[in-house]
Amino acid sequence: MSFQRDERYAAEVGNVFGEYLLTFVSQPQGQVRADIFQEKKRVVAHVSFPTGALASQVTEPYVSPLWNYAREKGIADTFQLIMS
Amino acid sequence: MPELQISVDLPYYLRLAEGDYPTALAGEVVNVVAPALLEGASPRTSVRAQFAPDESADLDEIQKRRARCCEQLLRRINRLLRWYRSVSRQSEITELTRAQVSPFRFAAVGVIPAAEWTALLEYEAAGPQPAELTREQTTQDVRDGLASGNDPDVADLFLLDAERALHQGRFRETVLFCWSTIDSVFNRRYDALVDAALEGEWGEARDFFKGLDFKLRNKMSAAMRLIANRSLFREPGDFWQRLSGSYSKRNAIIHRGESATEDEAMQSVAVARQIIRIMDEV
């Protein structure tokens, strides 16, 4: 599953970035991880590259799945990607 | 082919005339813009450049091409800053990370492309990271460390220095600090493994395996395989390529005075962390 709630992460991350919602991991090798938080009306996906891939070279899709998620949830107007 | 102008605000005010500054021999240019003078705010110089990435309708491909354009712009900016620092003798002017100049603002030049091409591209220095230790664990570990009478391992301190340098735009230092960490961690553990594997052996032969003539990457690959059944060359993924690339950059910095990019610095930190993890496991 690409979108899952990471309960251990949720317990540890705190709320400085807002309320933790869930985590996206790209398939098949997890080149991209996006932790999704909501702060008031804004929903932000903090995008990181845990395998060391560069943002300009990743081969696994993440932008399309994240925006599809935002549209399905009706939050596309307040959704934002920030690259870590 | 969308034609884009990408601009950023630097965290500095540069005493430079407005206009184009070639940053390489073959047509790379940045345009320095006079800062807006806003009451109550320090002036910040803006820099911009034009790019023409290949067209695409795929959102992920568009993101990659925009990220690549941002990398290229940042490379030009950092070259400008290196010269500005050298000429102005201002040591506080360091190279910049993507997060430090974020957001990257995209504007169409000419024909308006799809909206995905001109959205802001934002970077942050560090995303939401979970704390590794609770306050109680941190307190106990600090007390235990102090009671030991020793200082923290110098390799730990080097890696922390590397991470700090990375966030401050000191990319050459990041690479060098990482390789100090790697040299310290790897060589101490490797030497102990050699001594254990060759206990009782002729001392000069044992010393050869630990000596400078045996070369670091030979130790990391074939020798580690023989003495610990764990060659770094055989680590999964592209780890060996990244390690070798980082080692080459380290040598280029030391022996040829080359600079490093933010990505090269980040790669060196990732390589150092992985080597520490591997050497803890063997």
Side-chain angles (χ1 to χ4, degrees):
Chain A
M1 293 282 287
S2 296
F3 287 90
Q4 268 190 319
R5 186 173 164 85
D6 183 336
E7 293 299 343
R8 182 162 176 261
Y9 179 77
E12 293 173 345
V13 74
N15 58 3
V16 172
F17 291 87
E19 179 196 350
Y20 167 68
L21 298 180
L22 75 173
T23 294
F24 165 84
V25 176
S26 65
Q27 302 297 321
Q29 294 177 343
Q31 287 180 347
V32 185
R33 175 180 170 119
D35 297 301
I36 303 173
F37 288 75
Q38 176 154 14
E39 187 168 23
K40 297 184 183 165
K41 288 190 178 162
R42 219 164 66 114
V43 179
V44 180
H46 296 268
V47 179
S48 58
F49 303 93
T51 65
L54 301 180
S56 57
Q57 294 173 2
V58 291
T59 55
E60 296 172 358
Y62 65 99
V63 179
S64 315
L66 285 169
W67 279 104
N68 286 342
Y69 163 85
R71 278 189 279 274
E72 283 167 17
K73 298 296 180 187
I75 54 172
D77 287 347
T78 58
F79 189 66
Q80 187 182 3
L81 265 63
I82 297 182
M83 318 284 273
S84 290
Chain B
M1 187 177 291
E3 294 202 19
L4 305 169
Q5 178 181 275
I6 307 175
S7 62
V8 296
D9 295 330
L10 306 184
Y12 309 128
Y13 166 57
L14 304 182
R15 286 184 62 240
L16 289 174
E18 283 188 279
D20 287 346
Y21 289 77
T23 54
L25 292 177
E28 283 187 6
V29 168
V30 289
N31 182 258
V32 171
V33 181
L37 296 177
L38 303 171
E39 192 170 331
S42 304
R44 293 171 55 179
T45 295
S46 293
V47 177
R48 59 192 182 189
Q50 292 196 12
F51 297 88
D54 290 337
E55 177 65 87
S56 175
D58 179 84
L59 291 185
D60 286 277
E61 199 54 45
I62 289 173
Q63 184 81 336
K64 276 165 55 173
R65 290 172 194 188
R66 280 162 25 101
R68 199 169 300 135
C69 292
C70 293
E71 285 168 18
Q72 290 169 2
L73 175 60
L74 191 60
R75 203 171 300 133
R76 298 180 196 183
I77 288 170
N78 282 330
R79 187 140 199 272
L80 176 79
L81 289 175
R82 286 195 294 275
W83 271 107
Y84 184 83
R85 185 182 202 228
S86 176
V87 167
S88 69
R89 315 304 295 171
Q90 292 183 59
S91 60
E92 66 272 18
I93 302 285
T94 59
E95 295 176 55
L96 295 170
T97 64
R98 282 172 288 234
Q100 286 172 305
V101 300
S102 179
F104 291 81
R105 296 184 298 271
F106 287 71
V109 178
V111 174
I112 309 289
E116 289 79 17
W117 283 104
T118 54
L120 281 182
L121 188 50
E122 293 190 68
Y123 288 85
E124 59 188 353
Q129 300 289 329
E132 291 189 20
L133 300 175
T134 62
R135 193 174 83 152
E136 289 71 27
Q137 288 169 327
T138 303
T139 301
Q140 189 58 53
D141 286 359
V142 169
R143 290 191 196 283
D144 290 347
L146 289 167
S148 73
N150 299 321
D151 270 335
D153 193 295
V154 69
D156 282 344
L157 299 176
F158 269 139
L159 190 57
L160 289 165
D161 287 337
E163 291 168 3
R164 186 83 189 123
L166 172 61
H167 290 304
Q168 291 176 335
R170 292 155 42 215
F171 304 135
R172 286 191 309 277
E173 288 163 84
T174 303
V175 174
L176 296 180
F177 277 133
C178 285
W179 278 94
S180 295
T181 302
I182 291 168
D183 284 341
S184 171
V185 169
F186 177 81
N187 286 317
R188 270 185 293 161
R189 185 74 184 112
Y190 171 83
D191 288 354
L193 289 169
V194 168
D195 288 340
L198 297 178
E199 186 181 354
E201 189 48 80
W202 183 42
E204 287 192 31
R206 199 171 55 240
D207 289 345
F208 170 75
F209 276 95
K210 297 188 287 184
L212 294 174
D213 287 341
F214 196 50
K215 305 280 188 228
L216 182 64
R217 279 185 286 184
N218 293 333
K219 295 177 183 178
M220 287 180 163
S221 54
M224 278 290 290
R225 185 171 171 190
L226 289 174
I227 62 178
N229 198 28
R230 184 86 185 256
S231 162
L232 271 62
F233 173 73
R234 296 162 79 87
E235 288 295 305
D238 61 352
F239 175 67
W240 184 255
Q241 285 84 348
R242 290 189 290 114
L243 182 157
S244 296
S246 180
Y247 189 54
S248 297
K249 174 51 63 174
R250 172 246 186 214
N251 291 341
I253 291 169
I254 292 172
H255 301 300
R256 297 194 296 279
E258 286 188 11
S259 292
T261 65
E262 181 181 4
D263 285 332
E264 287 165 341
M266 285 168 61
Q267 286 284 15
S268 66
V269 172
V271 166
R273 284 190 185 135
Q274 194 157 347
I275 288 177
I276 290 169
R277 198 162 42 243
I278 291 168
M279 300 314 285
D280 276 346
E281 289 171 0
V282 294

